[in-house]
């Protein structure tokens, strides 16, 4: 009896397996080409000190025309002991986050936001333009620094 039940079970499984039809796999949609920019790549450089006499080291990555990077003030120092018991001075921005969209044949704007913890939000506007094999970035306000970036 057990053999007959096992045989019927196998026969039913085989019949249901052959009755099932498999739908064809969906074809992937044609991938859209990723827009590229002639400015794509890693860019580095150090600015002049500007009116603040504080140069910034720039490291920027442009990918598909999107700009993401940072600028760092190497002269900035961490907290120091307050021996006079006076209120501490406001922190100076030493790290700037830079974002924007690059244009190949025209100057373009970037936004720089300071990474400091204060009540006021510090931000600045930058203007970038291509000059030969380099990228020149100028501050619109603040210290009015200028930097010439090279790929690398």
């Amino acid at each position: 009896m057990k053999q007959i039940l096992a045989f019927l079970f196998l026969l039913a499984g085989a019949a249901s397996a052959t009755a099932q039809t498999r739908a064809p796999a969906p074809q992937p949609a044609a991938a859209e080409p990723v827009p590229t920019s002639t400015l794509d790549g890693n860019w580095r450089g150090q600015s002049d000190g500007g009116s603040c006499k504080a140069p910034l080291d720039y490291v920027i990555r442009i990918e598909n025309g999107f700009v993401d990077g940072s600028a760092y003030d190497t002269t900035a120092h961490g907290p120091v002991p307050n021996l006079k018991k006076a209120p501490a001075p406001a922190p100076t921005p030493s790290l700037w986050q830079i974002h924007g969209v690059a244009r190949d044949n025209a100057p373009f704007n970037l936004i720089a936001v300071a990474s400091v913890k204060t009540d006021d939000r510090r931000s600045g506007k930058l203007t970038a333009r291509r000059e030969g094999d380099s990228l020149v970035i100028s501050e619109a306000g603040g210290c009015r620094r200028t930097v010439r970036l090279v790929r690398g």
Side-chain angles (χ1 to χ4, degrees), residues 1 10 12 17 27 31 35 43 54 56 62 66 71 76 78-80 83 87 90 101 104-105 112 115 131 142 145:
M1 178 79 166
L10 287 175
Q27 298 296 325
W43 297 84
L56 296 176
I62 301 176
F66 293 101
V80 295
L83 301 176
V101 178
D104 287 333
N105 301 325
S115 297
E131 284 187 6
R145 293 176 270 234

Side-chain angles (χ1 to χ4, degrees), residues 4-67:
I4 294 173
L5 285 177
F7 177 72
L8 289 175
F9 182 71
L10 287 175
L11 186 62
S16 66
T18 58
Q20 292 179 357
T21 59
R22 188 172 194 174
Q27 298 296 325
E32 293 182 24
V34 177
T36 60
S37 167
T38 58
L39 298 174
D40 284 357
N42 296 321
W43 297 84
R44 296 179 162 275
Q46 186 175 37
S47 72
D48 58 5
S51 63
C52 299
K53 297 185 179 23
L56 296 176
D57 286 338
Y58 282 76
V59 178
I60 291 179
R61 173 150 179 89
I62 301 176
E63 187 172 339
N64 300 326
F66 293 101
V67 180

Side-chain angles (χ1 to χ4, degrees), residues 50-114:
S51 63
C52 299
K53 297 185 179 23
L56 296 176
D57 286 338
Y58 282 76
V59 178
I60 291 179
R61 173 150 179 89
I62 301 176
E63 187 172 339
N64 300 326
F66 293 101
V67 180
D68 184 34
S70 62
Y72 183 75
D73 182 2
T74 58
T75 63
H77 299 288
V80 295
N82 188 356
L83 301 176
K84 297 180 183 179
K85 305 294 184 208
T92 58
S94 61
L95 178 63
W96 293 85
Q97 299 169 346
I98 302 170
H99 305 284
V101 178
R103 293 197 180 114
D104 287 333
N105 301 325
F108 54 94
N109 295 324
L110 300 172
I111 297 173
V113 180

